Amino acid sequence: MAESILNNMPVRGLQIIKYRDDDFEYIEKETPIETRDFYPRMYWMPIPRAELRKAPQLDALPYE
């Protein structure tokens, strides 16, 4: 399902403005920076070891 949704997905920029009172404003740019493709091999991206440590119920064997 990801191939049909994420293929040729436009990636837009984000402007972050920090004000003096420590508030932030996030403004999404209108024009895309680039388009990205999703490939089936991306389903098998490794899970970072730090994430595996946070969730011990995950089976880490395929990733070690």
Side-chain angles (χ1 to χ4, degrees), residues 8-21:
N8 295 321
M9 177 176 251
V11 178
R12 292 182 175 86
L14 186 69
Q15 179 182 6
I16 303 171
I17 301 171
K18 181 180 178 186
Y19 295 105
R20 292 178 192 239
D21 60 354

Side-chain angles (χ1 to χ4, degrees), residues 48-58:
R49 191 169 302 278
E51 295 300 319
L52 290 172
R53 283 191 210 112
K54 290 179 192 175
Q57 68 273 19
L58 288 175

Side-chain angles (χ1 to χ4, degrees), residues 1-4 7 37-45:
M1 189 167 154
E3 296 100 68
S4 62
N7 238 3
D37 292 326
F38 183 89
Y39 301 104
R41 68 177 181 260
M42 292 179 174
Y43 282 121
W44 303 107
M45 299 291 280

Side-chain angles (χ1 to χ4, degrees), residues 27-49:
I27 302 170
E28 186 176 353
K29 300 292 184 172
E30 294 293 322
T31 56
I33 297 171
E34 64 181 29
T35 57
R36 294 188 182 164
D37 292 326
F38 183 89
Y39 301 104
R41 68 177 181 260
M42 292 179 174
Y43 282 121
W44 303 107
M45 299 291 280
I47 298 173
R49 191 169 302 278

